[in-house]
Amino acid sequence: MWFTPRPAIALPVAANVPGGIALIPLGTLLDSPEPPEAWLGDRQVWVAAEDGHWIAVVGVPLDTRAGTQTLRVRTNGGERAVRFAVSEKRYAEQRIALKNSSKVTLSPEDEIRALAEIERIQALKKHWRPSTETGTDFSKPVAGRLASRFGLRRIFNGEPRAPHSGLDIAARRGTPVGAPAMGWVLAIDDYFFNGKTVFLDHGNGLLSMYCHLDRIDVKPGEPLRRGQTLGRIGATGRASGPHLHWSVVLNGTMVDPELFLKHR
Ligand SMILES: [Zn+2]
């Protein structure tokens, strides 16, 4: 029996916008048999091989202004600057009126806890494990309604909050959440805002995060195959109802997970 050969890698679709992914060709494998190394600012960027070409898969931070960005690229031949354009994207806006302001303003103790956790999460986002196999053929981690998209600009009682850094998928409490692609469990934790959370490491700075889980079914360091259950849908942390908050990180920055669901 013959199987259709799969492409070596399933790259996400390109979207040269804040919160998107830029795919930047860096020459052929013949020009440079060793993979070039690339950096955006101080963050190393994943360079993938596709159809005999090196391609930098660059996560564009959500706070990037439209204009020209520069990638620093190093090959055997030396270092060069590769410029690429980022266009503007106006994400949807949601105004939310809350009667109970205690849900918006934290107590001093909660504030201290939440700030410490944000620092821990920032450190995890910088995790870099070089790998020749990066799990990119993402499938949706759980079937369900897309409740809130990446980039949504939320305004609580007239006060702008950080834009939504992930994709919310609503599903029943207890529904299994599967790894979207192969990876390793980088960390698990129970956070004030995000609740029970799993971080997966797919290699080369590609990470994914699963929040508000009712239960976590994996341990740090555990390898996961695509589709393997990592936890169950819940509403732990600050969540208005059972849903998965799913974030995807590339070169230390959150990008739109939906770009990984539509391979090019
Ligand atoms: Zn969310």
Side-chain angles (χ1 to χ4, degrees), residues 152-179:
L152 184 71
R153 294 174 301 129
R154 291 170 301 187
I155 296 157
F156 288 158
N157 295 348
E159 231 183 283
R161 294 279 147 159
H164 194 219
S165 61
L167 173 65
D168 287 354
I169 307 173
R172 277 222 188 101
R173 182 167 170 252
T175 309
V177 175

Side-chain angles (χ1 to χ4, degrees), residues 19-79:
I21 298 164
L23 299 178
I24 300 163
L26 299 180
T28 69
L29 271 66
L30 290 174
D31 298 335
S32 160
E34 285 293 305
E37 290 184 347
W39 287 266
L40 182 69
D42 63 349
R43 307 300 322 153
Q44 190 164 3
V45 164
W46 172 34
V47 177
E50 188 199 50
D51 289 340
H53 287 78
W54 295 115
I55 298 187
V57 185
V58 187
V60 183
L62 197 47
D63 59 3
T64 304
R65 310 264 299 267
T68 305
Q69 293 293 318
T70 306
L71 199 65
R72 199 154 50 82
V73 179
R74 189 157 68 203
T75 54
N76 285 343
E79 205 169 294

Side-chain angles (χ1 to χ4, degrees), residues 43-258:
R43 307 300 322 153
Q44 190 164 3
V45 164
W46 172 34
V47 177
E50 188 199 50
D51 289 340
H53 287 78
W54 295 115
I55 298 187
V57 185
V58 187
V60 183
L62 197 47
D63 59 3
T64 304
R65 310 264 299 267
T68 305
Q69 293 293 318
T70 306
L71 199 65
R72 199 154 50 82
V73 179
R74 189 157 68 203
T75 54
N76 285 343
E79 205 169 294
R80 65 194 158 113
V82 175
R83 282 176 237 292
F84 64 101
V86 173
S87 358
E88 204 180 331
K89 175 158 182 178
R90 194 106 179 119
Y91 287 97
E93 188 182 279
Q94 186 184 27
R95 287 182 177 270
I96 302 158
L98 293 173
K99 279 192 188 134
N100 182 354
S101 69
S102 72
K103 293 240 174 186
V104 181
T105 316
L106 302 189
S107 72
E109 300 79 50
D110 287 346
E111 177 110 36
I112 288 166
R113 177 182 164 192
L115 284 175
E117 290 178 352
I118 288 165
E119 272 191 28
R120 284 204 323 262
I121 293 169
Q122 287 300 103
L124 284 170
K125 281 163 65 182
K126 292 180 182 160
H127 179 77
W128 178 272
R129 176 180 58 91
S131 171
T132 50
E133 310 179 283
T134 301
T136 53
D137 50 342
F138 276 22
S139 51
K140 220 169 143 194
V142 64
R145 182 175 57 89
L146 298 188
S148 175
R149 314 297 268 266
F150 175 89
L152 184 71
R153 294 174 301 129
R154 291 170 301 187
I155 296 157
F156 288 158
N157 295 348
E159 231 183 283
R161 294 279 147 159
H164 194 219
S165 61
L167 173 65
D168 287 354
I169 307 173
R172 277 222 188 101
R173 182 167 170 252
T175 309
V177 175
M182 64 151 187
W184 301 78
V185 180
L186 175 64
I188 62 172
D189 214 330
D190 190 354
Y191 298 116
F192 179 77
F193 282 114
N194 294 336
K196 289 185 183 164
T197 297
V198 173
F199 277 90
L200 296 187
D201 169 14
H202 304 282
N204 299 308
L206 175 61
L207 312 169
S208 57
M209 177 174 98
Y210 306 80
C211 306
H212 308 304
L213 298 171
D214 194 55
R215 195 178 92 194
I216 292 172
D217 292 328
V218 291
K219 291 193 172 60
E222 198 177 324
L224 294 188
R225 2 167 256 284
R226 185 176 189 232
Q228 192 174 338
T229 299
L230 59 87
R232 313 280 164 164
I233 290 281
T236 55
R238 286 282 174 106
S240 51
H243 75 279
L244 174 70
H245 172 100
W246 179 34
S247 282
V248 175
V249 175
L250 255 183
N251 47 271
T253 199
M254 305 280 199
V255 294
D256 186 352
E258 284 187 66

